[in-house]
Structures are given as structure tokens and as C-alpha cells.
Amino acid sequence: MNRSFLKARRALIAAAAIAAIGSMSAQAANITWVGSSGSFWDLAANWNPALPGAPDDALLGAFDTTFRSGVVTIRSFTGTGIFSVTGGTLTFTNASSIGGLAMTGGTLGGAGAVTISGLASWTTGEMTGAGITNANGGMALGDGNKLLTGGRVLNTAGTTTWSGATGDFSNRILVG
């Protein structure tokens, strides 16, 4: 074989190897919450080894955690503390579970189901995506408009209560 043919063949093999490595999907990783209870999701110092991203499972432990800003997609999140959503958008693709939910803004949803074992409270914000939200410990629906979109289903177990102004349509769930 001539030298230029071998050189071209090696270059082609190297290019194919680089393309194969580049097209491999990222491996899921467990990203562990190491921040204090009640701290914010968007602070890199609260996570080990780094902020969770699309292929990752966020392990919150027993800590209360607040999602307040950003647009984040993850695989799943699991914890036994209270998960607060005050702003931003958190999308998850797989089944997730939390101890409690306090939703006062922002967007929570995706294709994954989320199971809330304790009390859920929802004042404002959007639950979206094709998944299911299971509020197994009861749900308190506060004074404010709530959006349920993208085919998301809300199942409540236990006691569900409405509070605030219910007669003037300022406390409702809008389904779209």
C-alpha cells in the first residue's frame, strides 16, 4: 500500500473515532446537595460535584431547597425535605419524589411524574408537561392563579383546601 493511502486511512479512522465519542450521550450522574437547609438550587457551592444538568439525578436528602431562577433540565430529583419553587423553570424527564412542595411562582414539570409525600401548597406558578403530579399528603391551594398545562395531571390525596379569594376568580387553576 502506498504511503498517502495509509495516511488518509488513519485520518479517516481518527475522524470516525472523534465523531463517535462526540455523539455519545452524557452519562447520568448523581449530584448531591451539600448546602444548608433552605438554601438555593442555583448556587454551585450547594452541590457536589457541580450544579445538576440534563443527564443528572439531583439528590436533595432531607434538606429544604429553593428553586428560584434559571431554566434547568435534569433527569430527576429526590428528597424528603420541602422543595420550594419561587421562580425559574425546572424540567425533569424521569420520576421524582419530594417530602413537601411550596410553589409560589416559577414552572415545574416535564415528562416525569413527581410524588409529594407530605403537604403540597400551590399559590401561583405553572405545573407543565406530560407527567403527573401526585400530592399524596394533601394540598393547600392559596390565593393566586395557577397554570396546569401541557397535559400535566394533578392528583391530590388527603385533604385539599382552597383559601383566599375564591369568588372573584383570582384563586383558580387554569388548565391549558
Side-chain angles (χ1 to χ4, degrees):
M1 289 191 194
N2 72 31
R3 196 173 217 172
S4 62
F5 175 77
L6 290 175
K7 192 174 184 180
R9 184 174 171 199
R10 285 185 192 128
L12 183 61
I13 291 170
I18 290 169
I21 290 169
S23 68
M24 294 173 68
S25 62
Q27 295 295 317
N30 288 336
I31 308 296
T32 304
W33 180 266
V34 294
S36 60
S37 192
S39 192
F40 302 108
W41 180 290
D42 58 304
L43 300 177
N46 286 334
W47 296 99
N48 183 26
L51 287 165
D56 300 326
D57 296 306
L59 307 178
L60 302 171
F63 299 101
D64 296 346
T65 307
T66 299
F67 189 92
R68 63 182 177 172
S69 64
V71 176
V72 177
T73 298
I74 60 172
R75 197 170 108 93
S76 70
F77 61 104
T78 304
T80 58
I82 297 170
F83 189 70
S84 299
V85 180
T86 62
T89 300
L90 179 63
T91 303
F92 50 98
T93 58
N94 288 39
S96 299
S97 63
I98 50 179
L101 175 68
M103 191 156 178
T104 59
T107 302
L108 179 66
V114 62
T115 299
I116 308 155
S117 59
L119 182 63
S121 65
W122 185 14
T123 304
T124 61
E126 181 178 4
M127 291 190 197
T128 189
I132 299 170
T133 299
N134 295 303
N136 291 342
M139 179 168 263
L141 298 164
D143 190 15
N145 286 326
K146 296 152 271 305
L147 299 173
L148 190 64
T149 63
R152 189 141 202 102
V153 173
L154 173 63
N155 293 325
T156 63
T159 302
T160 301
T161 60
W162 290 83
S163 63
T166 57
D168 65 358
F169 300 107
S170 66
N171 182 8
R172 59 187 172 179
I173 296 177
L174 302 170
V175 179

Short mmCIF file of all heavy atoms in Angstrom, two decimals, residues 2-32:
data_model
loop_
_atom_site.label_atom_id
_atom_site.label_comp_id
_atom_site.label_asym_id
_atom_site.label_seq_id
_atom_site.Cartn_x
_atom_site.Cartn_y
_atom_site.Cartn_z
N ASN A 2 0.39 2.24 -0.69
CA ASN A 2 1.22 3.43 -0.73
C ASN A 2 1.00 4.29 0.52
O ASN A 2 0.02 4.15 1.24
CB ASN A 2 1.00 4.22 -2.02
CG ASN A 2 -0.33 4.91 -2.08
OD1 ASN A 2 -0.86 5.31 -1.07
ND2 ASN A 2 -0.84 5.07 -3.28
N ARG A 3 1.95 5.12 0.74
CA ARG A 3 2.02 5.93 1.96
C ARG A 3 0.84 6.90 2.08
O ARG A 3 0.29 7.09 3.17
CB ARG A 3 3.33 6.69 1.93
CG ARG A 3 3.72 7.24 3.19
CD ARG A 3 5.10 7.79 3.05
NE ARG A 3 5.72 7.52 4.30
CZ ARG A 3 6.95 7.68 4.59
NH1 ARG A 3 7.77 8.10 3.66
NH2 ARG A 3 7.42 7.44 5.75
N SER A 4 0.42 7.55 1.01
CA SER A 4 -0.68 8.51 1.07
C SER A 4 -2.01 7.81 1.38
O SER A 4 -2.86 8.34 2.08
CB SER A 4 -0.78 9.31 -0.23
OG SER A 4 -1.05 8.46 -1.32
N PHE A 5 -2.18 6.58 0.86
CA PHE A 5 -3.39 5.82 1.18
C PHE A 5 -3.46 5.51 2.67
O PHE A 5 -4.49 5.67 3.30
CB PHE A 5 -3.42 4.53 0.36
CG PHE A 5 -4.58 3.64 0.72
CD1 PHE A 5 -5.86 3.93 0.27
CD2 PHE A 5 -4.40 2.53 1.53
CE1 PHE A 5 -6.93 3.11 0.60
CE2 PHE A 5 -5.47 1.72 1.87
CZ PHE A 5 -6.74 2.01 1.41
N LEU A 6 -2.34 5.05 3.26
CA LEU A 6 -2.32 4.74 4.69
C LEU A 6 -2.56 5.98 5.54
O LEU A 6 -3.27 5.93 6.54
CB LEU A 6 -0.98 4.09 5.07
CG LEU A 6 -0.77 2.68 4.54
CD1 LEU A 6 0.64 2.20 4.88
CD2 LEU A 6 -1.80 1.74 5.10
N LYS A 7 -2.00 7.08 5.13
CA LYS A 7 -2.18 8.34 5.86
C LYS A 7 -3.66 8.76 5.81
O LYS A 7 -4.24 9.15 6.82
CB LYS A 7 -1.29 9.41 5.24
CG LYS A 7 -1.18 10.65 6.06
CD LYS A 7 -0.16 11.58 5.42
CE LYS A 7 0.04 12.79 6.28
NZ LYS A 7 1.01 13.71 5.72
N ALA A 8 -4.27 8.66 4.65
CA ALA A 8 -5.68 9.02 4.51
C ALA A 8 -6.57 8.08 5.32
O ALA A 8 -7.54 8.50 5.95
CB ALA A 8 -6.08 8.99 3.04
N ARG A 9 -6.21 6.79 5.31
CA ARG A 9 -6.98 5.80 6.08
C ARG A 9 -6.91 6.10 7.58
O ARG A 9 -7.92 6.05 8.28
CB ARG A 9 -6.46 4.41 5.77
CG ARG A 9 -7.24 3.32 6.43
CD ARG A 9 -6.76 1.97 5.97
NE ARG A 9 -7.41 0.97 6.79
CZ ARG A 9 -6.98 -0.26 6.93
NH1 ARG A 9 -5.91 -0.66 6.28
NH2 ARG A 9 -7.62 -1.10 7.68
N ARG A 10 -5.72 6.41 8.09
CA ARG A 10 -5.57 6.75 9.51
C ARG A 10 -6.37 8.00 9.87
O ARG A 10 -6.99 8.06 10.92
CB ARG A 10 -4.09 6.95 9.85
CG ARG A 10 -3.33 5.68 9.94
CD ARG A 10 -1.90 5.93 10.40
NE ARG A 10 -1.12 4.75 10.21
CZ ARG A 10 0.03 4.69 9.56
NH1 ARG A 10 0.57 5.78 9.06
NH2 ARG A 10 0.66 3.55 9.44
N ALA A 11 -6.34 8.98 9.00
CA ALA A 11 -7.09 10.21 9.25
C ALA A 11 -8.59 9.93 9.29
O ALA A 11 -9.32 10.47 10.13
CB ALA A 11 -6.77 11.25 8.17
N LEU A 12 -9.06 9.07 8.40
CA LEU A 12 -10.47 8.70 8.37
C LEU A 12 -10.87 7.95 9.64
O LEU A 12 -11.92 8.22 10.24
CB LEU A 12 -10.77 7.86 7.13
CG LEU A 12 -12.22 7.46 6.91
CD1 LEU A 12 -13.09 8.70 6.77
CD2 LEU A 12 -12.35 6.58 5.69
N ILE A 13 -10.05 7.03 10.09
CA ILE A 13 -10.33 6.28 11.32
C ILE A 13 -10.34 7.22 12.52
O ILE A 13 -11.22 7.14 13.38
CB ILE A 13 -9.31 5.13 11.50
CG1 ILE A 13 -9.55 4.06 10.44
CG2 ILE A 13 -9.40 4.53 12.90
CD1 ILE A 13 -8.46 2.99 10.36
N ALA A 14 -9.40 8.14 12.58
CA ALA A 14 -9.34 9.10 13.69
C ALA A 14 -10.58 9.99 13.69
O ALA A 14 -11.18 10.25 14.74
CB ALA A 14 -8.07 9.95 13.58
N ALA A 15 -10.99 10.44 12.52
CA ALA A 15 -12.19 11.29 12.43
C ALA A 15 -13.43 10.53 12.87
O ALA A 15 -14.30 11.06 13.57
CB ALA A 15 -12.36 11.81 11.01
N ALA A 16 -13.53 9.26 12.48
CA ALA A 16 -14.68 8.43 12.88
C ALA A 16 -14.70 8.23 14.39
O ALA A 16 -15.76 8.26 15.02
CB ALA A 16 -14.65 7.10 12.15
N ALA A 17 -13.54 8.02 14.99
CA ALA A 17 -13.46 7.83 16.44
C ALA A 17 -13.88 9.09 17.18
O ALA A 17 -14.63 9.04 18.16
CB ALA A 17 -12.05 7.42 16.85
N ILE A 18 -13.43 10.25 16.71
CA ILE A 18 -13.80 11.52 17.33
C ILE A 18 -15.30 11.75 17.20
O ILE A 18 -15.97 12.16 18.14
CB ILE A 18 -12.99 12.68 16.72
CG1 ILE A 18 -11.52 12.56 17.17
CG2 ILE A 18 -13.57 14.03 17.11
CD1 ILE A 18 -10.57 13.49 16.43
N ALA A 19 -15.86 11.45 16.04
CA ALA A 19 -17.30 11.62 15.84
C ALA A 19 -18.09 10.70 16.75
O ALA A 19 -19.11 11.09 17.31
CB ALA A 19 -17.66 11.35 14.37
N ALA A 20 -17.63 9.48 16.92
CA ALA A 20 -18.33 8.53 17.79
C ALA A 20 -18.30 8.99 19.24
O ALA A 20 -19.30 8.92 19.95
CB ALA A 20 -17.71 7.13 17.67
N ILE A 21 -17.17 9.49 19.69
CA ILE A 21 -17.07 9.98 21.07
C ILE A 21 -17.96 11.20 21.25
O ILE A 21 -18.66 11.32 22.24
CB ILE A 21 -15.60 10.30 21.41
CG1 ILE A 21 -14.80 9.00 21.51
CG2 ILE A 21 -15.51 11.10 22.71
CD1 ILE A 21 -13.30 9.20 21.60
N GLY A 22 -17.96 12.10 20.26
CA GLY A 22 -18.77 13.30 20.35
C GLY A 22 -20.26 13.04 20.34
O GLY A 22 -21.04 13.79 20.89
N SER A 23 -20.69 11.95 19.71
CA SER A 23 -22.12 11.67 19.62
C SER A 23 -22.64 10.83 20.78
O SER A 23 -23.83 10.61 20.89
CB SER A 23 -22.43 10.96 18.30
OG SER A 23 -21.87 9.67 18.31
N MET A 24 -21.74 10.37 21.63
CA MET A 24 -22.18 9.58 22.79
C MET A 24 -22.94 10.48 23.75
O MET A 24 -22.54 11.61 24.00
CB MET A 24 -20.97 8.96 23.50
CG MET A 24 -20.25 7.93 22.66
SD MET A 24 -18.71 7.36 23.40
CE MET A 24 -19.33 6.49 24.80
N SER A 25 -24.05 10.01 24.27
CA SER A 25 -24.80 10.82 25.21
C SER A 25 -24.08 10.82 26.55
O SER A 25 -23.38 9.89 26.92
CB SER A 25 -26.22 10.27 25.39
OG SER A 25 -26.16 8.97 25.90
N ALA A 26 -24.27 11.92 27.27
CA ALA A 26 -23.63 12.06 28.57
C ALA A 26 -24.21 11.02 29.53
O ALA A 26 -25.39 10.69 29.48
CB ALA A 26 -23.85 13.46 29.10
N GLN A 27 -23.37 10.50 30.37
CA GLN A 27 -23.80 9.52 31.36
C GLN A 27 -24.48 10.21 32.53
O GLN A 27 -24.03 11.25 32.99
CB GLN A 27 -22.59 8.73 31.86
CG GLN A 27 -21.94 7.88 30.78
CD GLN A 27 -22.86 6.78 30.30
OE1 GLN A 27 -23.52 6.12 31.07
NE2 GLN A 27 -22.92 6.60 28.99
N ALA A 28 -25.55 9.62 33.02
CA ALA A 28 -26.24 10.16 34.19
C ALA A 28 -25.33 10.09 35.40
O ALA A 28 -24.57 9.14 35.56
CB ALA A 28 -27.52 9.38 34.46
N ALA A 29 -25.41 11.12 36.21
CA ALA A 29 -24.60 11.16 37.43
C ALA A 29 -25.51 11.54 38.59
O ALA A 29 -26.50 12.24 38.42
CB ALA A 29 -23.48 12.18 37.28
N ASN A 30 -25.16 11.06 39.77
CA ASN A 30 -25.83 11.50 40.98
C ASN A 30 -25.14 12.77 41.45
O ASN A 30 -23.95 12.78 41.71
CB ASN A 30 -25.74 10.43 42.08
CG ASN A 30 -26.63 9.25 41.79
OD1 ASN A 30 -27.60 9.35 41.06
ND2 ASN A 30 -26.29 8.13 42.36
N ILE A 31 -25.90 13.84 41.54
CA ILE A 31 -25.39 15.12 42.02
C ILE A 31 -26.02 15.34 43.40
O ILE A 31 -27.24 15.36 43.53
CB ILE A 31 -25.75 16.27 41.06
CG1 ILE A 31 -25.33 15.94 39.63
CG2 ILE A 31 -25.15 17.57 41.55
CD1 ILE A 31 -23.85 15.77 39.41
N THR A 32 -25.20 15.49 44.41
CA THR A 32 -25.66 15.50 45.80
C THR A 32 -25.70 16.92 46.37
O THR A 32 -24.74 17.67 46.25
CB THR A 32 -24.73 14.62 46.67
OG1 THR A 32 -24.69 13.32 46.09
CG2 THR A 32 -25.24 14.53 48.09
#
